[in-house]
Amino acid sequence: MGRTPCCDKNGVKKGPWTTEEDQKLTDYIQKHGPGNWRTLPKNAGLQRCGKSCRLRWTNYLRPDIKRGKLSFEEEETIIHLHSILGNKWSAIAGCLPGRTDNEIKNYWNTHVGRKLLRMGIDPPRLDLLDLTSIFNPSLYNSSQVNLSRLLGVQSLVNPEILRLANSLFSLPSNFQENQLCNSHVQNQLTPFGQISQIQNIPTCTDLSTLFVPIYSDTQVMQQHNMERLSSNISNFSSQNCQQNEWKNINFGSVLPTLSTPSSSPTSLNSNSNTTSEEERESYCSMLNFDIPNILDVNELL
DNA sequence: AACGCCTCCAACCGCGTCGGG
DNA sequence: GCCCGACGCGGTTGGAGGCGT
C-alpha cells in the first residue's frame, strides 16, 4: 500500500496563487495561527492542499519575510554556511532572518554556485570532507598549502600564507559569535546538526585546532584571529618559517570575498568584463599559489 | 513585431523524520 | 516495536518575463 496522498487530488487547485486565495489564507492564519495544515484549506475555504498552503505561507505570505535582493553580507553568510553545512538550506535560512530556505536555495543555484564555478572554484563543503586527511603527514612536507585546502576548513598553514589569507579574506559580518562547529568530536552535534563524517581522528595533534568559529562581527573575528596568531606563533615569524615547521593554527575558515572591490584581490562580480580564466589567474597571482581547476574538493585532499 | 533562448523563482513532488496511538 | 498521519526538507519543474536577433 502506497503512501496516502496529502490531499484529495480531485478538486484541488494547483499553480500560482491568486490574491483572493492569499487573502483567505492570511486571514485564516492571523485568526487561528499556522499549523494543522491538512485541515486548514477546508476550514479556510481554499481549494488547495495543506502542503501548498504551508509553502505559500512560509515562503511568501509570512509577515516577517524580508523582500528584495540579498545583501553582500547575506551572500557571504550563505557561502560560508554552505561551506560548513552543504545544501542544508533550512539551516542556512535559520541564520538569515527574514529569508526562506527556498529563496536561499534559488539564490545559490542561480547566483553563487554559478559564480564560484565560473571561477573554477568548487564551493567548499566541510560536510563532504574527510577531516582525518588533514592529519596526513605528507601535508607537513608541502612547501605550500593550496588555498583550496583552506577554504571552509581548518588546515595546516604556513603562517605567511595565513597572514596573506587573513589579509585578503574576511568572514561574514553577521555570524553569531560563539557558535562553534565542534567538528573535532566524533558525531558531535553541532548547532547545525550532526557531523557524522568525522570519525577515528588520530590523537597525534591538538584537536582544538579543528574548531570552526563563526563570528557575528568582522572586528571580533579579526581580534580573535590576532589573539590566536599571537599565542600560536609568538616565536614563529614568517622570516624563520622553516620547511618543516608547520603548525596547526585555528583561524576560522576563510572564504573568497566576492564583489567587494575594497578587499577582494580582483573584481569577481558578474559584471566584470574579465573572463573567468582571467579572473582565476589574477586571483591566483595575488595569492601567490594555485587554485586548480578541480571541481571535486575531495581530490584536493 | 515575431521568435527563440535564457534567467529567475514560485510552486510542486517525493521522501525522510517525528510523534502520537 | 509498529503503524500511520502530519510536517519539513531538498530537488526539480515550468511559466513568466527579459533580452538579443
Side-chain angles (χ1 to χ4, degrees), chain A residues 13-273:
Chain A
K13 190 166 177 255
K14 290 167 69 172
W17 282 63
T18 64
T19 50
E20 291 91 52
E21 287 176 314
D22 283 346
Q23 194 58 52
K24 278 185 181 177
L25 181 58
T26 304
D27 289 346
Y28 183 86
I29 290 177
Q30 280 176 349
K31 197 172 179 182
H32 300 93
N36 203 358
W37 298 107
R38 197 177 180 85
T39 58
L40 185 147
K42 190 179 174 184
N43 295 336
L46 288 161
Q47 302 293 314
R48 295 274 181 175
C49 74
K51 215 173 186 177
S52 180
C53 293
R54 179 177 57 82
L55 217 60
R56 183 64 178 172
W57 175 255
T58 56
N59 287 342
Y60 196 83
L61 296 175
R62 238 173 52 205
D64 59 328
I65 293 276
K66 195 190 285 181
R67 300 249 155 246
K69 197 170 157 62
L70 275 82
S71 67
F72 171 72
E73 286 76 19
E74 285 176 317
E75 182 177 301
E76 276 197 325
T77 302
I78 291 169
I79 294 171
H80 184 82
L81 289 178
H82 187 271
S83 75
I84 298 169
L85 303 169
N87 296 355
K88 303 293 182 202
W89 306 118
S90 61
I92 296 171
C95 298
L96 292 165
R99 302 295 185 183
T100 69
D101 55 351
N102 206 36
E103 186 179 15
I104 290 165
K105 179 173 57 182
N106 284 332
Y107 189 76
W108 180 270
N109 290 333
T110 58
H111 292 88
V112 183
R114 188 179 303 163
K115 191 187 286 186
L116 292 179
L117 285 174
R118 205 166 54 86
M119 292 162 55
I121 300 172
D122 190 34
R125 292 271 303 271
L126 182 64
D127 63 321
L128 293 181
L129 298 179
D130 174 10
L131 293 187
T132 60
S133 59
I134 288 173
F135 296 96
N136 185 338
S138 66
L139 289 179
Y140 286 92
N141 297 325
S142 304
S143 58
Q144 277 188 336
V145 173
N146 195 293
L147 181 67
S148 299
R149 291 188 207 273
L150 311 183
L151 296 174
V153 65
Q154 293 307 294
S155 303
L156 303 166
V157 280
N158 178 313
E160 183 59 24
I161 292 178
L162 175 67
R163 187 198 60 74
L164 180 62
N166 271 334
S167 69
L168 292 173
F169 302 120
S170 63
L171 284 172
S173 59
N174 52 348
F175 278 165
Q176 296 301 305
E177 190 177 0
N178 297 327
Q179 277 190 330
L180 293 181
C181 179
N182 298 336
S183 55
H184 66 298
V185 180
Q186 290 183 34
N187 299 320
Q188 174 72 39
L189 192 65
T190 74
F192 308 106
Q194 194 173 46
I195 294 184
S196 58
Q197 286 85 356
I198 303 163
Q199 294 175 348
N200 304 320
I201 291 179
T203 57
C204 62
T205 188
D206 179 10
L207 294 179
S208 67
T209 60
L210 277 178
F211 277 92
V212 181
I214 298 171
Y215 297 91
S216 58
D217 181 89
T218 303
Q219 279 190 328
V220 174
M221 179 271 291
Q222 289 168 344
Q223 175 68 27
H224 286 192
N225 282 344
M226 288 303 294
E227 289 170 3
R228 279 196 224 98
L229 278 172
S230 59
S231 64
N232 279 308
I233 58 170
S234 55
N235 300 314
F236 203 75
S237 70
S238 59
Q239 283 81 3
N240 62 18
C241 174
Q242 300 301 310
Q243 173 87 9
N244 294 321
E245 288 183 316
W246 295 85
K247 283 193 172 186
N248 279 328
I249 299 171
N250 177 18
F251 64 103
S253 55
V254 293
L255 289 164
T257 302
L258 303 175
S259 314
T260 303
S262 61
S263 60
S264 76
T266 183
S267 177
L268 300 175
N269 62 48
S270 57
N271 295 326
S272 169
N273 290 327

Side-chain angles (χ1 to χ4, degrees), chain A residues 273-292:
Chain A
N273 290 327
T274 57
T275 66
S276 60
E277 186 61 26
E278 286 169 339
E279 285 173 352
R280 203 173 70 81
E281 286 178 6
S282 171
Y283 200 77
C284 293
S285 67
M286 285 294 292
L287 297 170
N288 200 29
F289 46 81
D290 291 329
I291 298 174

